[in-house]
Amino acid sequence: MFKKDPQPKASANIKSSERRKLLTNICNIYKIPQQEITKECEHDILPVTTKQASFKSVQGYSGTIYFDETETPIWFKSRDSQLFPTLFTTWKCPFILPMVKTHPHVIKILSNGADLMLPGTIPPFDNRAVKGEVVGVVDSQNPTVIKAIGRCKLNMPQFDSVIGRTGTAVEVLHCMHDELYNLNRLVDIPVPSECNINIPLNVEQSEPASEETDKNENNETKAEPKIENEVSNKVSNENSIGTSMDDVAEELSELSVEDVDNFFTRSLLQSIQQDTIVLPITSSTFMSNHIYKNLPIIDPMYCNIKKTSWKKSAKFLKAMEKLNYVQIKGKGDDLSIVSLASKENPIIQNFVPHKPISSLSNNSNKSSEKPVGNKKNKANELSIVYLYKPTNKSRMFFNKVDHPFSNLYTAPELRSLLDKYIKIQQLMDKKDPKKIVLDDTLNSISNLGLGSYPRDKVFKSFLTNFSPLYKILKPGESVDNDEIELNKGEPPKVQVITEMKIGRKVVTRVLDFEKYYIKPHILSDELKVKCSGSTTIGPCTHNPKLTEVTVQGPHGKLIVDLLNSKGIPISFIQFEDKVKKRKKR
């Protein structure tokens, strides 16, 4: 079904009522005891934040794909079919589907678009794997990890042996590395080595284990509201004595809108009290250089004005103007801060500062300032291996050196084969042994013309008639690993561009990084913390097929160091600063 790109439209959140109906429908279809499973299991089956998007592929399939909050596909259905789980859902909840076992090498064949034939299966079979049922395909090495999903075409339990049998066992709908699997571009989800196939059920304790446990539980339940009251008091009291605000920010795992509002207000007060701010200053610069950097140490997901009740920087600043903390000028979102509350103001004087989130980025900057050439960075560095595919012009060459024409070769291997060919054909120039006299075969490959040429010049021209390919290897990986993606052409260079947008906003864009095993969502979260600024993820304006991450502020050098620490060689990172004025000649 997903041999071609399904081309889904933009996803949108579904209502909570629709989500509950969808969950009930899933549990009814796959016979999951909804009332008995745990909340965590329920969220694994269908997350709280679920999105949906319609699709219509080139092959003519149309339907709906459901995503989680990180745009990972979790369920799908065609126009007239039932709901099917994706591989990402079955890795969390493998108990949803009965499993049909096959051989490890068959999984690669299924990934190329084939169905699972009966001779490729391994009995015994699950009693639920009957004709028409949705099943998961696993291999014998990882019997709990589903790697393909399809519908049974035969009653599998009736077969005790598959030797000499014929027929299609499973019609594959979705498998690893198909276009639905490749829609997961934001988060790096590794293939698990093992999954728990048991259904997580609620454990009901009819009788207490002992009187002590009852007492402990009562004490904990009584203590919880006290702790919540203490936390709320600490958050609401802006002028609390000591550094209790740091503890509150670190301990709170889930923040309410009021909490985030309070943190942004505290950040403003700390900016006025401690920062040197040159006025007037634009709202975007003020937010990125002061407000975001002076937030308490909290989860990076809350370091965004959208998490507050104001939703926009302009509304936040107008609310602060009513409190006489700032004075602003301008219209709409194009605002400038022209004055701030005096540091002699009692509220500013009595404000107790907290540990800002920028202290984390400062520590990371200090660590990134270490020499790039140390052993730790080299141990983590990715390696780019170039491979060359022979063309038809070189077929005769490989016949004479007795090597397979269809193989891929590295540059050193081709050089040794060229030296072998020169020795076999005795092509060394007798007058100058450093040169080679080309014969008809080498002349057709190199296009230099008949004559005598230096060996290096012949090899360079010889290499240009091969199709270049490359593999990007992680530390410890081998070129012979077939699971590593083989790419055509030259490896891309990661583009880091600092530029000024309309409205005098300076941003830094990062693009063309996905080939180096970096997911946009993960990079966005890291840049949000390290650069102390808001980030966005979206398609590149010049090439919509590429995803780019944009962060507020000029952070080019910091991002280059971050990418280099992730293993990308510095020669494959290209930084361009468009903000600096070019020097006149």
Side-chain angles (χ1 to χ4, degrees):
M1 182 182 286
F2 295 103
K3 293 179 183 179
K4 301 291 184 181
D5 187 358
Q7 300 178 352
K9 295 183 179 179
S11 60
N13 290 0
I14 64 174
K15 296 179 181 178
S16 57
S17 58
E18 293 179 6
R19 179 192 168 275
R20 288 194 295 270
K21 290 179 183 178
L22 190 63
L23 179 63
T24 303
N25 188 21
I26 291 170
C27 292
N28 291 337
I29 292 172
Y30 295 99
K31 299 175 183 178
I32 302 170
Q34 184 177 356
Q35 303 300 326
E36 300 176 12
I37 59 176
T38 62
K39 277 290 180 184
E40 293 180 358
C41 176
E42 183 180 306
H43 294 163
D44 287 339
I45 296 172
L46 195 66
V48 177
T49 303
T50 301
K51 305 178 181 181
Q52 71 174 8
S54 59
F55 74 91
K56 187 174 182 180
S57 67
V58 181
Q59 296 172 288
Y61 296 108
S62 61
T64 306
I65 301 174
Y66 294 91
F67 300 88
D68 64 7
E69 59 182 0
T70 61
E71 296 294 332
T72 300
I74 50 177
W75 293 88
F76 68 95
K77 67 176 182 178
S78 63
R79 181 179 295 176
D80 303 320
S81 75
Q82 67 180 60
L83 279 163
F84 301 102
T86 65
L87 294 178
F88 304 110
T89 299
T90 58
W91 292 345
K92 294 180 180 179
C93 311
F95 53 82
I96 292 177
L97 302 178
M99 300 180 188
V100 175
K101 194 181 296 183
T102 185
H103 304 282
H105 68 275
V106 176
I107 300 295
K108 296 180 183 178
I109 300 174
L110 299 183
S111 298
N112 293 328
D115 291 331
L116 178 62
M117 308 306 288
L118 184 58
T121 59
I122 302 175
F125 301 107
D126 194 311
N127 292 329
R128 298 175 294 167
V130 295
K131 186 176 181 179
E133 286 295 316
V134 182
V135 296
V137 180
V138 300
D139 62 47
S140 55
Q141 292 182 352
N142 306 99
T144 61
V145 182
I146 296 175
K147 296 184 178 178
I149 293 168
R151 195 185 290 277
C152 268
K153 305 295 285 185
L154 299 169
N155 290 323
M156 303 305 294
Q158 68 179 346
F159 299 104
D160 296 328
S161 174
V162 295
I163 299 174
R165 303 275 187 175
T166 58
T168 303
V170 179
E171 180 189 7
V172 176
L173 303 173
H174 164 47
C175 61
M176 290 186 64
H177 306 300
D178 66 2
E179 293 302 322
L180 178 62
Y181 182 90
N182 292 334
L183 285 180
N184 177 46
R185 297 189 181 98
L186 298 182
V187 183
D188 190 9
I189 301 178
V191 181
S193 58
E194 187 178 0
C195 297
N196 184 12
I197 60 175
N198 297 319
I199 302 177
L201 302 175
N202 288 315
V203 180
E204 296 182 358
Q205 296 181 352
S206 57
E207 295 181 1
S210 63
E211 295 180 0
E212 293 181 1
T213 56
D214 286 345
K215 291 179 180 178
N216 291 336
E217 289 177 0
N218 291 331
N219 291 335
E220 289 176 1
T221 54
K222 291 178 181 178
E224 285 177 1
K226 291 182 179 179
I227 294 173
E228 290 177 0
N229 291 334
E230 289 177 4
V231 170
S232 61
N233 289 335
K234 288 179 181 179
V235 174
S236 61
N237 186 8
E238 295 180 356
N239 298 323
S240 59
I241 301 173
T243 58
S244 59
M245 192 64 191
D246 301 337
D247 301 330
V248 174
E250 291 176 355
E251 288 176 6
L252 284 174
S253 58
E254 294 185 3
L255 299 177
S256 64
V257 177
E258 291 78 10
D259 296 332
V260 183
D261 286 355
N262 185 59
F263 287 145
F264 270 80
T265 305
R266 287 187 60 87
S267 176
L268 174 64
L269 296 177
Q270 181 150 322
S271 301
I272 297 172
Q273 185 192 68
Q274 298 193 352
D275 291 3
T276 302
I277 304 172
V278 179
L279 299 174
I281 184 173
T282 61
S283 59
S284 59
T285 306
F286 182 69
M287 294 295 293
S288 60
N289 291 349
H290 300 283
I291 299 299
Y292 288 123
K293 289 187 177 181
N294 283 317
L295 285 171
I297 300 175
I298 54 176
D299 193 315
M301 68 178 290
Y302 294 106
C303 298
N304 194 328
I305 195 67
K306 292 181 180 179
K307 297 293 183 180
T308 65
S309 61
W310 302 293
K311 302 299 182 183
K312 291 183 178 181
S313 301
K315 290 185 178 180
F316 165 68
L317 293 173
K318 288 176 182 177
M320 295 300 102
E321 186 179 30
K322 291 180 180 179
L323 298 175
N324 296 323
Y325 292 155
V326 297
Q327 186 177 349
I328 58 177
K329 281 188 177 181
K331 294 182 180 180
D333 294 335
D334 190 13
L335 301 177
S336 297
I337 293 88
V338 294
S339 68
L340 300 168
S342 174
K343 292 186 179 182
E344 297 178 357
N345 188 312
I347 297 176
I348 306 300
Q349 282 185 337
N350 298 328
F351 176 78
V352 179
H354 53 259
K355 190 176 181 181
I357 197 170
S358 59
S359 60
L360 295 179
S361 60
N362 290 337
N363 293 334
S364 63
N365 289 342
K366 290 179 181 178
S367 61
S368 65
E369 287 173 2
K370 294 179 181 179
V372 178
N374 58 13
K375 294 182 179 179
K376 290 184 180 179
N377 286 345
K378 286 187 177 180
N380 189 37
E381 188 170 345
L382 300 171
S383 55
I384 291 89
V385 178
Y386 292 90
L387 298 170
Y388 298 90
K389 183 180 180 181
T391 57
N392 287 328
K393 286 184 178 181
S394 58
R395 188 180 292 274
M396 186 61 68
F397 171 84
F398 283 95
N399 289 340
K400 290 184 178 180
V401 295
D402 195 22
H403 272 70
F405 171 76
S406 57
N407 283 10
L408 300 177
Y409 297 91
T410 61
E413 290 172 344
L414 289 177
R415 183 179 282 275
S416 64
L417 289 178
L418 180 61
D419 292 341
K420 182 179 179 181
Y421 181 83
I422 292 169
K423 287 182 180 180
I424 293 173
Q425 301 297 325
Q426 297 181 356
L427 300 178
M428 287 183 292
D429 192 345
K430 295 179 180 179
K431 296 181 180 178
D432 188 357
K434 293 182 180 180
K435 292 185 177 182
I436 300 166
V437 179
L438 300 186
D439 61 358
D440 292 337
T441 303
L442 281 184
N443 181 40
S444 64
I445 300 174
S446 61
N447 298 323
L448 290 174
L450 295 174
S452 179
Y453 299 93
R455 190 181 296 258
D456 289 341
K457 186 176 182 179
V458 172
F459 179 69
K460 286 181 180 179
S461 183
F462 173 79
L463 206 59
T464 57
N465 280 278
F466 288 79
S467 301
L469 305 162
Y470 69 92
K471 282 187 176 183
I472 300 177
L473 308 180
K474 296 178 182 178
E477 288 184 337
S478 172
V479 189
D480 301 328
N481 190 349
D482 294 333
E483 294 183 0
I484 300 173
E485 184 181 5
L486 183 65
N487 302 284
K488 295 181 180 180
E490 295 288 331
K493 289 191 176 183
V494 183
Q495 304 288 327
V496 181
I497 303 170
T498 299
E499 61 186 8
M500 185 174 291
K501 277 195 166 185
I502 300 173
R504 297 176 294 176
K505 290 183 180 180
V506 177
V507 297
T508 304
R509 299 189 294 121
V510 190
L511 58 140
D512 222 356
F513 51 82
E514 293 177 274
K515 292 289 184 184
Y516 296 95
Y517 308 106
I518 297 176
K519 293 289 184 177
H521 190 74
I522 297 174
L523 179 63
S524 174
D525 289 343
E526 290 183 349
L527 292 182
K528 195 179 294 182
V529 175
K530 288 188 175 291
C531 302
S532 300
S534 61
T535 57
T536 57
I537 303 172
C540 177
T541 53
H542 301 293
N543 186 0
K545 292 183 179 180
L546 298 178
T547 303
E548 70 176 21
V549 176
T550 305
V551 60
Q552 284 189 356
H555 304 290
K557 292 182 180 179
L558 191 150
I559 294 173
V560 169
D561 292 339
L562 174 64
L563 294 173
N564 186 237
S565 67
K566 287 180 171 293
I568 303 177
I570 199 71
S571 58
F572 288 92
I573 303 173
Q574 187 172 350
F575 172 52
E576 183 180 2
D577 191 350
K578 294 183 178 180
V579 178
K580 289 183 178 179
K581 293 181 180 179
R582 295 180 181 178
K583 294 181 180 180
K584 295 182 180 180
R585 293 183 179 178

